[in-house]
Amino acid sequence: VKKYLFPYLTGLVVTFGVLTLVSCNKGRPKNTDLVSRAYQMIDAQQPGQAILLLERGLQEDPENPEYKRVLSSAYAHRAGFKVQKLVPILKSAQEFQRLQGQTLENSPEKEKVKALALDASSLVSKAGGLSEVFASIPAVQGPQVSDMIHAIEILSELGPELQPADAIFKVILEVILFKHYLVENLLGESPASSNKELENCQIQADLFIETFQTLSQLLIDIYSDLRIAHPSQTPQFERLTKETKESVKTALKTAQGISSLDKNSLLFLKFTLIKTGFGKVILCR
Amino acid sequence: VSLNRALPFILIGFAALTSQARTARTFETINSTLITKGLAHSCLALKILPDGLPCNPAMTSLRDRRSLRAQVLVSDGYNSIKNLQRIVDGEVTQEMVDGFFSNERTFQIDASTDLMYRSQEMNVQLTPLAIRGFAEIRNESSPDIDLFTVEEKGLRFQTGYQFSEEFLLGFQVRVLNRKVISQHFNLFDLGTEAGQKILEPTQQSILYLEPGATFLLGQEWSPRISLMLANLGYVSRRNPGVPASVEPQVGFGISPPVLEGTLDLLVDYSSLSFQEQGADRLHLGALYHVNEFYYSAGIDAHGTSGGIHYEHRHFNLGLLFSTTRTLKEKETLDSHNLYFQIGLEI
């Protein structure tokens, strides 16, 4: 009987061995799938390597949408973007929503204060909340900006292959870039230390127009991408796009008329710009 | 003989050494015990499964005593899954999200409670709740997520009869209620209109009637072949993410003599995830029983596992180490898991 059963045991042991080898072999990274390898590189904080890999892949297969998607995310990662950085925005947005629901409208104080105070309180609350949301948007600087722009361009190249999730990702990158342009070119304190000094300062109308156009285009792109992600809200986004385009026209007309303003009007405009935080538009020599 | 005696220990050590191999001891449609997982689910030809109902109902009549048993199994990773759920629900903290992307990026959970009545005539298992889940997150810039979660409640009934010294026949009925989420998506899908339904579970009502047979081929070393037709029955709503088709399964086992205790060497050919092809359906396991201890070891295309189970009078306790790896093609992520099981039996 032992002779009869010996082959069973031998077979089992041999099969164990074979499967072990198969299993060990499968355990090592195969590194055959380009997208998976790129994911690993990105997660290993090596987006540059992932970019090289994917660009090589795109040379062989230029229209591969998956390669483009991952390449875009690799550029975004090199620009400092990680999904973890969205947590502060989510939290401040949640807080903003919470504050919206906690205005004096529902408070026992409502009877004691005038409507004007209520409105002012609501506005301050909204402005404060929005300011927090704005501050929590990740910042980019230096070479990160061109990587961010490139990431957005790659997604734009997807054309009809752009999926709703890609559109949301693109919106996020565009918002980051929007903040960058706003902070870099417009937002800031006045370089003038006195009113007299301010009189000699110039309004950089060209910079204002250029930045305003860039920001408006980014906004229009954001609305367009949001339409892909939320098709049922298309009319709303179309309306916003139209309004933005009209604002650009109005702003251009205003900016072009700056040179014809008299001294007092110019000073008033400079004060207004400083008060609203657009100090960087004013150049003092 | 000394080799036979050492074999289970060698296998357990081997399981630890090859822990980089792909494995999964948690599957969407499989509610299994600690020892079954330890054996890499190669249990069809196991005559008596100490911590559960026999994998093949034909083995029912081989049991020599009646017992009532309650046990709980839980794997590590519970916090990760809980955190993932909180993120999905919008309860986010920076530490939680950072933790996801600084750890292994794979998260797994397997938890179940079972009540069993076992006898020579019939076995009944009531599972008030079993939860199984797996998630893998890649690319922290635009996260790509594989996710399955299964919440299951069920009743399993088995009966069997030994027609002759060589032939046993039996069948089992399984009544299950499952809530399943099985998705591959991008995190930003959740911010889209179409993505609002991604995390909605599919509800399934299932009734399986599964026959099994075992052929005992001899006395010495007790060679046996075990056959079963699995997943034969009705499923109210198919979910392509959780495939489970009718499948003929076959197992083979021997019990070579050892100086002390008993040893079972087992091979099964069966599908666990329904994604395996050919030889990937082979599962090999060894169970060594000495005194109050059961040592299990298993290996298959999914990976390796090794465990210890202790039974003392009414009390039992078990620990299992395994590696888990997603079965999606060309994946390279591994995670290592511990399973813990505790129970009472009267």
Side-chain angles (χ1 to χ4, degrees):
Chain A
V1 178
K2 275 184 183 173
K3 277 183 186 174
Y4 173 70
L5 286 172
F6 186 72
Y8 286 122
L9 185 59
T10 313
L12 268 176
V13 171
V14 169
T15 317
F16 254 108
V18 171
L19 271 181
T20 301
L21 290 173
V22 168
S23 179
C24 288
N25 187 37
K26 283 180 176 174
R28 295 191 197 106
K30 282 188 173 179
N31 290 342
T32 50
D33 184 61
L34 196 134
V35 169
S36 283
R37 284 167 62 197
Y39 281 159
Q40 283 181 334
M41 288 168 178
I42 293 168
D43 289 337
Q45 312 304 311
Q46 297 169 337
Q49 302 260 10
I51 289 168
L52 286 175
L53 184 75
L54 290 158
E55 282 181 341
R56 274 205 301 271
L58 278 168
Q59 279 172 1
E60 289 172 18
D61 186 3
E63 297 306 316
N64 189 314
E66 197 54 32
Y67 289 178
K68 287 183 182 175
R69 280 187 191 103
V70 187
L71 180 62
S72 166
S73 68
Y75 271 109
H77 193 280
R78 199 167 72 173
F81 176 74
K82 299 172 184 179
V83 78
Q84 300 93 299
K85 292 193 174 180
L86 296 180
V87 175
I89 304 181
L90 287 175
K91 290 200 82 72
S92 51
Q94 280 173 347
E95 182 64 11
F96 179 59
Q97 277 187 333
R98 194 184 64 80
L99 286 173
Q100 290 282 79
Q102 280 190 358
T103 57
L104 279 172
E105 286 285 339
N106 310 317
S107 147
E109 302 292 318
K110 188 186 170 186
E111 301 303 319
K112 300 176 190 171
V113 292
K114 291 184 177 176
L116 183 67
L118 279 176
D119 291 345
S121 165
S122 173
L123 273 174
V124 168
S125 169
K126 277 182 189 172
L130 281 174
S131 163
E132 283 223 357
V133 174
F134 182 77
S136 59
I137 296 170
V140 283
Q141 53 190 350
Q144 291 178 328
V145 180
S146 56
D147 277 342
M148 192 60 84
I149 292 170
H150 203 44
I152 294 168
E153 284 171 351
I154 294 166
L155 287 173
S156 300
E157 283 170 19
L158 281 171
E161 296 277 357
L162 191 83
Q163 299 297 311
D166 303 327
I168 293 286
F169 182 47
K170 190 163 166 257
V171 165
I172 291 166
L173 302 184
E174 284 162 341
V175 167
I176 292 171
L177 203 58
F178 187 95
K179 178 186 176 179
H180 168 75
Y181 286 130
L182 201 61
V183 171
E184 193 71 10
N185 297 339
L186 302 181
L187 296 184
E189 289 183 3
S190 164
S193 54
S194 66
N195 288 356
K196 195 172 181 183
E197 202 179 323
L198 192 61
E199 282 178 22
N200 299 320
C201 298
Q202 305 291 316
I203 295 174
Q204 301 186 87
D206 291 346
L207 173 69
F208 185 79
I209 292 168
E210 192 187 325
T211 309
F212 196 78
Q213 281 178 321
T214 308
L215 292 178
S216 306
Q217 189 53 53
L218 268 174
L219 265 184
I220 290 166
D221 289 346
I222 287 170
Y223 297 144
S224 167
D225 294 329
L226 285 172
R227 275 164 56 184
I228 295 170
H230 294 271
S232 69
Q233 293 176 37
T234 297
Q236 192 186 341
F237 293 124
E238 279 176 348
R239 181 178 54 79
L240 287 168
T241 304
K242 197 178 163 190
E243 283 173 11
T244 306
K245 284 178 179 170
E246 282 168 5
S247 301
V248 175
K249 278 182 196 169
T250 313
L252 284 176
K253 271 184 192 171
T254 311
Q256 280 159 2
I258 286 175
S259 55
S260 60
L261 290 176
D262 59 54
K263 193 179 167 186
N264 284 338
S265 304
L266 266 176
L267 193 60
F268 173 75
L269 190 58
K270 285 175 200 169
F271 274 125
T272 310
L273 284 167
I274 290 165
K275 272 185 203 167
T276 48
F278 294 118
K280 282 188 179 167
V281 182
I282 297 165
L283 180 70
C284 299
R285 286 177 184 161
Chain B
V1 176
S2 59
L3 177 68
N4 283 345
R5 196 177 178 190
L7 194 56
F9 302 99
I10 293 169
L11 288 171
I12 289 170
F14 182 76
L17 286 172
T18 58
S19 60
Q20 286 304 311
R22 73 165 59 191
T23 183
R25 294 294 177 254
T26 295
F27 296 94
E28 289 95 323
T29 58
I30 313 279
N31 183 26
S32 50
T33 66
L34 192 92
I35 290 178
T36 312
K37 290 179 196 297
L39 294 170
H41 293 92
S42 61
C43 56
L44 272 178
L46 187 65
K47 289 180 180 171
I48 294 173
L49 179 64
D51 64 343
L53 270 58
C55 294
N56 188 336
M59 301 294 196
T60 302
S61 58
L62 296 181
R63 190 166 181 85
D64 54 3
R65 65 188 179 90
R66 292 178 183 183
S67 71
L68 191 63
R69 187 180 179 105
Q71 72 189 19
V72 175
L73 178 142
V74 66
S75 74
D76 62 339
Y78 175 74
N79 279 337
S80 297
I81 292 294
K82 197 173 156 193
N83 285 343
L84 185 68
Q85 185 60 49
R86 286 173 67 188
I87 284 179
V88 165
D89 291 343
E91 298 171 40
V92 188
T93 68
Q94 188 71 57
E95 296 74 27
M96 202 192 288
V97 180
D98 288 344
F100 270 119
F101 288 96
S102 60
N103 297 327
E104 291 188 73
R105 293 156 203 266
T106 58
F107 315 101
Q108 179 266 359
I109 181 71
D110 192 336
S112 62
T113 52
D114 293 298
L115 297 168
M116 296 167 227
Y117 169 76
R118 296 181 291 179
S119 71
Q120 205 170 31
E121 297 79 30
M122 65 169 188
N123 303 312
V124 182
Q125 178 178 340
L126 175 70
T127 305
L129 185 63
I131 296 168
R132 299 180 286 278
F134 183 82
E136 181 186 341
I137 303 181
R138 301 167 307 167
N139 187 4
E140 62 182 7
S141 180
S142 176
D144 185 271
I145 300 171
D146 270 312
L147 170 75
F148 86 71
T149 64
V150 175
E151 186 187 305
E152 189 176 276
K153 293 168 186 172
L155 183 72
R156 186 175 165 203
F157 170 83
Q158 293 181 330
T159 188
Y161 186 72
Q162 182 159 12
F163 284 88
S164 67
E165 281 192 5
E166 295 85 24
F167 182 59
L168 300 103
L169 196 65
F171 72 91
Q172 75 176 358
V173 177
R174 284 195 290 156
V175 182
L176 303 167
N177 192 292
R178 273 192 203 135
K179 284 183 191 171
V180 180
I181 301 172
S182 180
Q183 296 283 359
H184 176 208
F185 60 99
N186 183 289
L187 182 68
F188 298 129
D189 274 317
L190 299 177
T192 69
E193 236 170 57
Q196 299 306 305
K197 290 185 177 174
I198 284 178
L199 298 175
E200 273 184 16
T202 306
Q203 295 240 21
Q204 293 182 317
S205 297
I206 297 163
L207 176 66
Y208 287 137
L209 180 62
E210 297 163 315
T214 296
F215 299 90
L216 305 173
L217 303 175
Q219 291 293 320
E220 199 167 353
W221 289 34
S222 187
R224 64 260 181 200
I225 289 177
S226 196
L227 306 166
M228 196 169 108
L229 193 59
N231 302 326
L232 177 70
Y234 163 80
V235 179
S236 67
R237 199 174 161 195
R238 299 271 173 190
N239 183 330
V242 191
S245 49
V246 180
E247 187 201 35
Q249 299 178 340
V250 60
F252 175 75
I254 53 170
S255 305
V258 284
L259 268 187
E260 199 179 342
T262 59
L263 175 68
D264 290 290
L265 298 176
L266 306 152
V267 187
D268 271 20
Y269 187 82
S270 64
S271 184
L272 301 172
S273 70
F274 294 91
Q275 292 174 353
E276 308 101 326
Q277 299 294 326
D280 285 354
R281 294 190 173 194
L282 271 177
H283 313 280
L284 286 94
L287 182 65
Y288 179 55
H289 175 208
V290 60
N291 300 327
E292 294 169 315
F293 288 94
Y294 291 86
Y295 300 94
S296 61
I299 186 167
D300 61 10
H302 303 291
T304 53
S305 53
I308 296 174
H309 182 81
Y310 172 72
E311 297 246 349
H312 179 72
R313 293 183 184 170
H314 303 303
F315 173 74
N316 62 79
L317 190 71
L319 198 64
L320 174 79
F321 174 80
S322 87
T323 63
T324 299
R325 186 170 183 180
T326 178
L327 286 180
K328 302 285 178 191
E329 276 186 36
K330 295 163 186 168
E331 290 298 343
T332 52
L333 286 173
D334 299 295
S335 76
H336 314 289
N337 294 103
L338 273 174
Y339 295 84
F340 174 74
Q341 185 176 275
I342 189 165
L344 284 171
E345 181 168 316
I346 49 173

